[in-house]
Amino acid sequence: MSDIIQLLPDHVANQIAAGEVVQRPASVVKELLENAIDAQATHVKLIIKEAGKVLIQVIDNGSGMSITDARLSFERHATSKIKAANDLFQLDTKGFRGEALASIAAIAHVELKTKQQEDEVGTEIKIEGSQVSSQEVCVTPKGTSISVKNLFFNIPARRNFLKSNTVELRHIIDEFQRVAMVHADVKFDMYHNGNEVFNLPISNHRQRITHIFGSKINEKLVPVQEETDLVTISGFVGKPEYAKRTRGEQFFFVNQRFIKSAYLNHAVNAAFEGLLKEKTHPSYFIYLDVDPKTIDINIHPTKTEIKFDDEHALYAILRATIKHSLGQFNVAPILDFNRDASMDTPYDYKGKIAKTPTIEVDRSFNPFKEESKSNADGSSKKYIGFKKESAGDWENLYVGLDSVTTDIKSTENNFSTIQFESEEVTGSLFTGNEQTALEHTTTYQLRRKYIVTTIKSGMVIIHQHRAHQRVLYEEILRNITMVSAASQQLLFPLKLSFSKQEVALLISVREQLENTGFVFETFESEEVAITGIPTVATESEVSVLLEKLISDIEQEVPDCGFSQTDLLAKSISSSIAVKTGMDLELAQQQYIVNGLFACTEPNITPDNKPTFITLTVDEIDKKF
Ligand code: ADP
Ligand code: MG
């Protein structure tokens, strides 16, 4: 048989390499920004159109390139940053592989303009799918401008695989921030579709973080500083009381490079031990400087993971340093004494001694009376996360399980005329023929997690959080799509601070949020004032709710309206549904049970998890 092995042509090799280097527009942004920094720029401008799908341009005032270098820069393994393998152990540049420009040029239309300080004129090169289409002399200021257009034009599969603009832009902003956060001594601007997204003047690290995340963050930062033989640590951690439900602002930089490290993250969390509410995550901005010889950044093509020689020591130093800072800035004791206990309830049940559950059967219980009594005497009996005027929902108490698949509207019509005054009426309804009809109204809460109740054929065990999420989800969805929900007016506007991007995101879903009952007074660049909130939510939940919503939207949402509505309903319902661990009064348990079985799809949560299980008498009999 004849020889069959051949060397791949360069443009094919480049396209294959591009798969590793360029996963999405944000990868291009990262490479171009890093090149600008490596070229000693003091001003870097990032211009984006359509989340990078149409244009990514980086303009810097750095060293620029000679004519020959400009042409060579697009060759594979062409780099000015290392000469020998040994140089890998003393890297002080971000790039070193010489792959980025070659890869980008293989899968996009690229235009480069560059000029060195000492040269009269610059060079302009156009290159498409690795083919140089023109090279000319041009007039251009000192530095380099690279435009990358029509990314993945020759790999439709990749192009189609890109996420929505919201998601891709979020990735771009992430990369931009990671570079900008390290190089506070460089001015950075970013524009998207002609609008300024960031304008970051030369400053120090603290100011840079404040410029990026909003001025409110400044008061939340505790400085961290330590110098040892192994490592120099600087940066900030967020005060524990500002810890977030989502892992938003967590950054490690090692030798000016953003990295991810579950191990070091663990060290930070360990330093915060005992200071955080459950399921919250501290913010941190930690800059580590180590001898380049003691790390290996070569293990991952996109270089966000690195290997340390002495990970254990680093862990111990980092944890001790942060612990010390938190102590020194009086964060720890303040938290213990000034804590608002009422804020803790959903989270701190773990440490409490469990109350023995007691079942109280109030034979004369009438949910309507209960509601009106608390309304009349003004006592603010809190049904956390419950819709206050939910009287109508009680009617669903009497809806048989079998009817859940029937149109919810028609069941409402059937039952809305029935007045339930006495136990007798209730009793007769529950002796209907349906096998699954709720037998009587007694419910029982198990381990603050499940609600147990009986049906004709046996018993139902309901997951309280999931069931409530399903109820709220359908209600919110109905409100967004069909009618506007009622709103509770707040006595004082609730002012919440966000970053500029977060505010922009909230504005983009404003209408849907308003349909759920939110009333916004003002949207300022870093602050939102809210005067009304959905009746199903409480004021103290709103900040977490919006925070979670923002992070859910950033991570998942496609640009299509329906899915966005669905996501919004999912996110809000999961935020405000009663949590596992919450004690539920009898009325609350029953509200959930009845609400659930009045849903169009009671069996599962919006994320397809089961909301309840049934155990028939037959199944129970078998166990005896
Ligand atoms: P690497 O950064 O790994 O060296 P790249 O493909 O990113 O590889 O860039 C190749 C070379 O092109 C760099 O080594 C550098 O010499 C030159 N170069 C790229 N971008 C710039 C820029 N913005 N300013 C000056 N030189 C640049
Ligand atoms: Mg590079």
Side-chain angles (χ1 to χ4, degrees), residues 31-32 35-36 38-39 60 63-65 69 73 78-81 95-102 114 144 146:
E31 295 296 338
L32 297 186
N35 280 347
D38 283 344
D60 70 56
S63 62
M65 286 178 264
D69 282 355
S73 68
T79 179
S80 55
K81 296 166 195 177
F96 58 87
R97 296 166 168 264
E99 265 176 347
L101 289 187
T114 187
T144 303
I146 301 191

PDB file of all heavy atoms in Angstrom, residues 31-32 35-36 38-39 60 63-65 69 73 78-81 95-102 114 144 146, ligand 1:
ATOM      1  N   GLU A  31      -7.510  37.184  24.214  1.00  0.00           N
ATOM      2  CA  GLU A  31      -6.206  37.136  23.552  1.00  0.00           C
ATOM      3  C   GLU A  31      -5.756  38.521  23.103  1.00  0.00           C
ATOM      4  O   GLU A  31      -4.597  38.891  23.262  1.00  0.00           O
ATOM      5  CB  GLU A  31      -6.241  36.178  22.349  1.00  0.00           C
ATOM      6  CG  GLU A  31      -6.471  34.716  22.719  1.00  0.00           C
ATOM      7  CD  GLU A  31      -5.333  34.106  23.557  1.00  0.00           C
ATOM      8  OE1 GLU A  31      -4.203  34.642  23.514  1.00  0.00           O
ATOM      9  OE2 GLU A  31      -5.600  33.113  24.270  1.00  0.00           O
ATOM     10  N   LEU A  32      -6.696  39.298  22.536  1.00  0.00           N
ATOM     11  CA  LEU A  32      -6.311  40.615  22.020  1.00  0.00           C
ATOM     12  C   LEU A  32      -5.971  41.577  23.165  1.00  0.00           C
ATOM     13  O   LEU A  32      -5.011  42.355  23.069  1.00  0.00           O
ATOM     14  CB  LEU A  32      -7.421  41.207  21.149  1.00  0.00           C
ATOM     15  CG  LEU A  32      -7.775  40.421  19.876  1.00  0.00           C
ATOM     16  CD1 LEU A  32      -8.794  41.200  19.044  1.00  0.00           C
ATOM     17  CD2 LEU A  32      -6.534  40.114  19.028  1.00  0.00           C
ATOM     18  N   ASN A  35      -2.562  40.654  24.440  1.00  0.00           N
ATOM     19  CA  ASN A  35      -1.494  41.116  23.549  1.00  0.00           C
ATOM     20  C   ASN A  35      -1.217  42.606  23.747  1.00  0.00           C
ATOM     21  O   ASN A  35      -0.071  43.048  23.721  1.00  0.00           O
ATOM     22  CB  ASN A  35      -1.858  40.850  22.084  1.00  0.00           C
ATOM     23  CG  ASN A  35      -1.598  39.394  21.692  1.00  0.00           C
ATOM     24  OD1 ASN A  35      -0.939  38.651  22.422  1.00  0.00           O
ATOM     25  ND2 ASN A  35      -2.121  38.996  20.540  1.00  0.00           N
ATOM     26  N   ALA A  36      -2.283  43.378  23.934  1.00  0.00           N
ATOM     27  CA  ALA A  36      -2.115  44.821  24.137  1.00  0.00           C
ATOM     28  C   ALA A  36      -1.342  45.084  25.425  1.00  0.00           C
ATOM     29  O   ALA A  36      -0.456  45.947  25.470  1.00  0.00           O
ATOM     30  CB  ALA A  36      -3.482  45.506  24.181  1.00  0.00           C
ATOM     31  N   ASP A  38       0.736  42.971  26.898  1.00  0.00           N
ATOM     32  CA  ASP A  38       2.113  42.522  26.658  1.00  0.00           C
ATOM     33  C   ASP A  38       2.902  43.565  25.867  1.00  0.00           C
ATOM     34  O   ASP A  38       4.122  43.636  25.971  1.00  0.00           O
ATOM     35  CB  ASP A  38       2.120  41.184  25.906  1.00  0.00           C
ATOM     36  CG  ASP A  38       1.789  39.996  26.826  1.00  0.00           C
ATOM     37  OD1 ASP A  38       1.854  40.178  28.057  1.00  0.00           O
ATOM     38  OD2 ASP A  38       1.466  38.912  26.302  1.00  0.00           O
ATOM     39  N   ALA A  39       2.199  44.353  25.047  1.00  0.00           N
ATOM     40  CA  ALA A  39       2.880  45.382  24.240  1.00  0.00           C
ATOM     41  C   ALA A  39       3.032  46.685  25.036  1.00  0.00           C
ATOM     42  O   ALA A  39       3.278  47.742  24.457  1.00  0.00           O
ATOM     43  CB  ALA A  39       2.113  45.622  22.942  1.00  0.00           C
ATOM     44  N   ASP A  60      -4.783  49.625  20.875  1.00  0.00           N
ATOM     45  CA  ASP A  60      -3.882  49.940  21.986  1.00  0.00           C
ATOM     46  C   ASP A  60      -2.841  50.964  21.563  1.00  0.00           C
ATOM     47  O   ASP A  60      -2.647  51.213  20.373  1.00  0.00           O
ATOM     48  CB  ASP A  60      -3.215  48.664  22.519  1.00  0.00           C
ATOM     49  CG  ASP A  60      -2.204  48.054  21.560  1.00  0.00           C
ATOM     50  OD1 ASP A  60      -1.253  48.756  21.148  1.00  0.00           O
ATOM     51  OD2 ASP A  60      -2.356  46.854  21.221  1.00  0.00           O
ATOM     52  N   SER A  63       3.562  49.063  21.928  1.00  0.00           N
ATOM     53  CA  SER A  63       4.798  49.147  21.147  1.00  0.00           C
ATOM     54  C   SER A  63       4.593  49.127  19.632  1.00  0.00           C
ATOM     55  O   SER A  63       5.411  49.641  18.884  1.00  0.00           O
ATOM     56  CB  SER A  63       5.702  47.978  21.527  1.00  0.00           C
ATOM     57  OG  SER A  63       5.041  46.778  21.205  1.00  0.00           O
ATOM     58  N   GLY A  64       3.488  48.523  19.179  1.00  0.00           N
ATOM     59  CA  GLY A  64       3.312  48.380  17.733  1.00  0.00           C
ATOM     60  C   GLY A  64       4.262  47.347  17.168  1.00  0.00           C
ATOM     61  O   GLY A  64       5.067  46.760  17.898  1.00  0.00           O
ATOM     62  N   MET A  65       4.155  47.091  15.867  1.00  0.00           N
ATOM     63  CA  MET A  65       5.024  46.087  15.238  1.00  0.00           C
ATOM     64  C   MET A  65       5.660  46.643  13.977  1.00  0.00           C
ATOM     65  O   MET A  65       5.094  47.495  13.298  1.00  0.00           O
ATOM     66  CB  MET A  65       4.204  44.845  14.862  1.00  0.00           C
ATOM     67  CG  MET A  65       3.805  43.973  16.028  1.00  0.00           C
ATOM     68  SD  MET A  65       2.805  42.568  15.506  1.00  0.00           S
ATOM     69  CE  MET A  65       1.159  43.174  15.796  1.00  0.00           C
ATOM     70  N   ASP A  69       7.341  41.997  11.422  1.00  0.00           N
ATOM     71  CA  ASP A  69       6.667  41.379  12.576  1.00  0.00           C
ATOM     72  C   ASP A  69       5.158  41.329  12.366  1.00  0.00           C
ATOM     73  O   ASP A  69       4.494  40.352  12.740  1.00  0.00           O
ATOM     74  CB  ASP A  69       6.965  42.153  13.865  1.00  0.00           C
ATOM     75  CG  ASP A  69       8.354  41.826  14.401  1.00  0.00           C
ATOM     76  OD1 ASP A  69       9.004  40.933  13.819  1.00  0.00           O
ATOM     77  OD2 ASP A  69       8.775  42.466  15.383  1.00  0.00           O
ATOM     78  N   SER A  73       3.335  37.899  12.714  1.00  0.00           N
ATOM     79  CA  SER A  73       2.526  37.672  13.921  1.00  0.00           C
ATOM     80  C   SER A  73       1.379  36.697  13.663  1.00  0.00           C
ATOM     81  O   SER A  73       0.863  36.090  14.588  1.00  0.00           O
ATOM     82  CB  SER A  73       1.983  38.998  14.458  1.00  0.00           C
ATOM     83  OG  SER A  73       1.039  39.533  13.564  1.00  0.00           O
ATOM     84  N   ALA A  78       4.501  31.807  16.125  1.00  0.00           N
ATOM     85  CA  ALA A  78       5.285  33.032  15.970  1.00  0.00           C
ATOM     86  C   ALA A  78       5.059  33.887  17.207  1.00  0.00           C
ATOM     87  O   ALA A  78       3.956  34.375  17.434  1.00  0.00           O
ATOM     88  CB  ALA A  78       4.826  33.793  14.718  1.00  0.00           C
ATOM     89  N   THR A  79       6.104  34.031  18.003  1.00  0.00           N
ATOM     90  CA  THR A  79       5.973  34.817  19.224  1.00  0.00           C
ATOM     91  C   THR A  79       7.261  35.573  19.493  1.00  0.00           C
ATOM     92  O   THR A  79       8.345  35.114  19.146  1.00  0.00           O
ATOM     93  CB  THR A  79       5.631  33.930  20.442  1.00  0.00           C
ATOM     94  OG1 THR A  79       5.541  34.749  21.598  1.00  0.00           O
ATOM     95  CG2 THR A  79       6.670  32.837  20.670  1.00  0.00           C
ATOM     96  N   SER A  80       7.117  36.740  20.087  1.00  0.00           N
ATOM     97  CA  SER A  80       8.304  37.494  20.481  1.00  0.00           C
ATOM     98  C   SER A  80       8.581  37.270  21.960  1.00  0.00           C
ATOM     99  O   SER A  80       9.467  37.872  22.525  1.00  0.00           O
ATOM    100  CB  SER A  80       8.047  38.983  20.215  1.00  0.00           C
ATOM    101  OG  SER A  80       6.864  39.368  20.897  1.00  0.00           O
ATOM    102  N   LYS A  81       7.763  36.404  22.588  1.00  0.00           N
ATOM    103  CA  LYS A  81       7.782  36.371  24.047  1.00  0.00           C
ATOM    104  C   LYS A  81       8.672  35.301  24.660  1.00  0.00           C
ATOM    105  O   LYS A  81       9.150  35.465  25.768  1.00  0.00           O
ATOM    106  CB  LYS A  81       6.343  36.283  24.560  1.00  0.00           C
ATOM    107  CG  LYS A  81       5.591  37.553  24.149  1.00  0.00           C
ATOM    108  CD  LYS A  81       4.102  37.488  24.285  1.00  0.00           C
ATOM    109  CE  LYS A  81       3.483  38.657  23.510  1.00  0.00           C
ATOM    110  NZ  LYS A  81       2.038  38.643  23.513  1.00  0.00           N
ATOM    111  N   GLY A  95       0.989  36.160  26.943  1.00  0.00           N
ATOM    112  CA  GLY A  95       1.059  35.207  25.839  1.00  0.00           C
ATOM    113  C   GLY A  95       2.425  34.566  25.811  1.00  0.00           C
ATOM    114  O   GLY A  95       3.362  35.052  26.443  1.00  0.00           O
ATOM    115  N   PHE A  96       2.528  33.457  25.125  1.00  0.00           N
ATOM    116  CA  PHE A  96       3.830  32.829  24.887  1.00  0.00           C
ATOM    117  C   PHE A  96       3.708  31.717  23.874  1.00  0.00           C
ATOM    118  O   PHE A  96       4.684  31.222  23.361  1.00  0.00           O
ATOM    119  CB  PHE A  96       4.421  32.268  26.192  1.00  0.00           C
ATOM    120  CG  PHE A  96       3.540  31.246  26.874  1.00  0.00           C
ATOM    121  CD1 PHE A  96       3.622  29.904  26.521  1.00  0.00           C
ATOM    122  CD2 PHE A  96       2.637  31.636  27.848  1.00  0.00           C
ATOM    123  CE1 PHE A  96       2.804  28.973  27.142  1.00  0.00           C
ATOM    124  CE2 PHE A  96       1.821  30.697  28.468  1.00  0.00           C
ATOM    125  CZ  PHE A  96       1.902  29.363  28.112  1.00  0.00           C
ATOM    126  N   ARG A  97       2.475  31.350  23.517  1.00  0.00           N
ATOM    127  CA  ARG A  97       2.306  30.220  22.631  1.00  0.00           C
ATOM    128  C   ARG A  97       2.437  30.601  21.158  1.00  0.00           C
ATOM    129  O   ARG A  97       2.621  29.733  20.311  1.00  0.00           O
ATOM    130  CB  ARG A  97       0.923  29.614  22.832  1.00  0.00           C
ATOM    131  CG  ARG A  97       0.739  29.048  24.188  1.00  0.00           C
ATOM    132  CD  ARG A  97      -0.727  28.770  24.443  1.00  0.00           C
ATOM    133  NE  ARG A  97      -0.833  27.966  25.629  1.00  0.00           N
ATOM    134  CZ  ARG A  97      -0.939  26.651  25.624  1.00  0.00           C
ATOM    135  NH1 ARG A  97      -0.997  25.996  24.487  1.00  0.00           N
ATOM    136  NH2 ARG A  97      -0.995  25.993  26.744  1.00  0.00           N
ATOM    137  N   GLY A  98       2.231  31.887  20.856  1.00  0.00           N
ATOM    138  CA  GLY A  98       2.303  32.315  19.471  1.00  0.00           C
ATOM    139  C   GLY A  98       1.208  31.705  18.621  1.00  0.00           C
ATOM    140  O   GLY A  98       1.362  31.504  17.420  1.00  0.00           O
ATOM    141  N   GLU A  99       0.095  31.413  19.234  1.00  0.00           N
ATOM    142  CA  GLU A  99      -0.973  30.720  18.512  1.00  0.00           C
ATOM    143  C   GLU A  99      -2.186  31.591  18.265  1.00  0.00           C
ATOM    144  O   GLU A  99      -2.953  31.343  17.360  1.00  0.00           O
ATOM    145  CB  GLU A  99      -1.478  29.557  19.374  1.00  0.00           C
ATOM    146  CG  GLU A  99      -0.842  28.256  19.080  1.00  0.00           C
ATOM    147  CD  GLU A  99      -1.346  27.195  20.044  1.00  0.00           C
ATOM    148  OE1 GLU A  99      -1.986  27.525  21.064  1.00  0.00           O
ATOM    149  OE2 GLU A  99      -1.104  26.033  19.754  1.00  0.00           O
ATOM    150  N   ALA A 100      -2.357  32.607  19.117  1.00  0.00           N
ATOM    151  CA  ALA A 100      -3.640  33.306  19.126  1.00  0.00           C
ATOM    152  C   ALA A 100      -3.953  33.965  17.786  1.00  0.00           C
ATOM    153  O   ALA A 100      -4.999  33.695  17.189  1.00  0.00           O
ATOM    154  CB  ALA A 100      -3.649  34.339  20.246  1.00  0.00           C
ATOM    155  N   LEU A 101      -3.041  34.817  17.310  1.00  0.00           N
ATOM    156  CA  LEU A 101      -3.370  35.538  16.080  1.00  0.00           C
ATOM    157  C   LEU A 101      -3.537  34.581  14.913  1.00  0.00           C
ATOM    158  O   LEU A 101      -4.439  34.744  14.079  1.00  0.00           O
ATOM    159  CB  LEU A 101      -2.307  36.599  15.781  1.00  0.00           C
ATOM    160  CG  LEU A 101      -2.302  37.808  16.725  1.00  0.00           C
ATOM    161  CD1 LEU A 101      -1.329  38.876  16.233  1.00  0.00           C
ATOM    162  CD2 LEU A 101      -3.695  38.412  16.870  1.00  0.00           C
ATOM    163  N   ALA A 102      -2.696  33.563  14.827  1.00  0.00           N
ATOM    164  CA  ALA A 102      -2.821  32.587  13.740  1.00  0.00           C
ATOM    165  C   ALA A 102      -4.184  31.901  13.802  1.00  0.00           C
ATOM    166  O   ALA A 102      -4.853  31.724  12.778  1.00  0.00           O
ATOM    167  CB  ALA A 102      -1.705  31.548  13.837  1.00  0.00           C
ATOM    168  N   THR A 114      -0.809  48.707  12.490  1.00  0.00           N
ATOM    169  CA  THR A 114       0.152  48.814  13.577  1.00  0.00           C
ATOM    170  C   THR A 114       1.304  49.736  13.182  1.00  0.00           C
ATOM    171  O   THR A 114       1.652  49.844  12.007  1.00  0.00           O
ATOM    172  CB  THR A 114       0.663  47.404  13.972  1.00  0.00           C
ATOM    173  OG1 THR A 114       1.476  47.506  15.130  1.00  0.00           O
ATOM    174  CG2 THR A 114       1.444  46.730  12.855  1.00  0.00           C
ATOM    175  N   THR A 144      -1.343  49.476  18.104  1.00  0.00           N
ATOM    176  CA  THR A 144      -1.915  48.444  17.250  1.00  0.00           C
ATOM    177  C   THR A 144      -3.429  48.466  17.348  1.00  0.00           C
ATOM    178  O   THR A 144      -3.986  48.685  18.419  1.00  0.00           O
ATOM    179  CB  THR A 144      -1.412  47.051  17.714  1.00  0.00           C
ATOM    180  OG1 THR A 144       0.013  47.059  17.686  1.00  0.00           O
ATOM    181  CG2 THR A 144      -1.938  45.938  16.831  1.00  0.00           C
ATOM    182  N   ILE A 146      -6.527  45.915  16.092  1.00  0.00           N
ATOM    183  CA  ILE A 146      -6.903  44.670  15.422  1.00  0.00           C
ATOM    184  C   ILE A 146      -8.416  44.552  15.428  1.00  0.00           C
ATOM    185  O   ILE A 146      -9.048  44.660  16.480  1.00  0.00           O
ATOM    186  CB  ILE A 146      -6.286  43.436  16.118  1.00  0.00           C
ATOM    187  CG1 ILE A 146      -4.763  43.548  16.119  1.00  0.00           C
ATOM    188  CG2 ILE A 146      -6.724  42.152  15.428  1.00  0.00           C
ATOM    189  CD1 ILE A 146      -4.034  42.293  16.521  1.00  0.00           C
TER     190      ILE A 146
HETATM  191  P1  ADP B   1       1.747  35.340  21.770  1.00  0.00           P
HETATM  192  O1  ADP B   1       1.022  36.433  22.429  1.00  0.00           O
HETATM  193  O2  ADP B   1       1.558  34.042  22.441  1.00  0.00           O
HETATM  194  O3  ADP B   1       3.159  35.649  21.512  1.00  0.00           O
HETATM  195  P2  ADP B   1       0.031  35.958  19.544  1.00  0.00           P
HETATM  196  O4  ADP B   1      -0.414  35.149  18.396  1.00  0.00           O
HETATM  197  O5  ADP B   1      -0.997  36.466  20.462  1.00  0.00           O
HETATM  198  O6  ADP B   1       1.077  35.094  20.348  1.00  0.00           O
HETATM  199  O7  ADP B   1       0.866  37.168  19.007  1.00  0.00           O
HETATM  200  C1  ADP B   1       1.988  36.912  18.207  1.00  0.00           C
HETATM  201  C2  ADP B   1       2.966  38.042  18.327  1.00  0.00           C
HETATM  202  O8  ADP B   1       2.451  39.211  17.704  1.00  0.00           O
HETATM  203  C3  ADP B   1       3.294  38.461  19.725  1.00  0.00           C
HETATM  204  O9  ADP B   1       4.327  37.677  20.284  1.00  0.00           O
HETATM  205  C4  ADP B   1       3.696  39.918  19.564  1.00  0.00           C
HETATM  206  O10 ADP B   1       5.043  40.018  19.241  1.00  0.00           O
HETATM  207  C5  ADP B   1       2.895  40.370  18.361  1.00  0.00           C
HETATM  208  N1  ADP B   1       1.712  41.146  18.762  1.00  0.00           N
HETATM  209  C6  ADP B   1       0.445  40.676  18.864  1.00  0.00           C
HETATM  210  N2  ADP B   1      -0.402  41.629  19.252  1.00  0.00           N
HETATM  211  C7  ADP B   1       0.324  42.744  19.433  1.00  0.00           C
HETATM  212  C8  ADP B   1       0.024  44.095  19.847  1.00  0.00           C
HETATM  213  N3  ADP B   1      -1.217  44.462  20.172  1.00  0.00           N
HETATM  214  N4  ADP B   1       1.052  44.980  19.901  1.00  0.00           N
HETATM  215  C9  ADP B   1       2.305  44.610  19.574  1.00  0.00           C
HETATM  216  N5  ADP B   1       2.631  43.354  19.196  1.00  0.00           N
HETATM  217  C10 ADP B   1       1.678  42.436  19.124  1.00  0.00           C
END
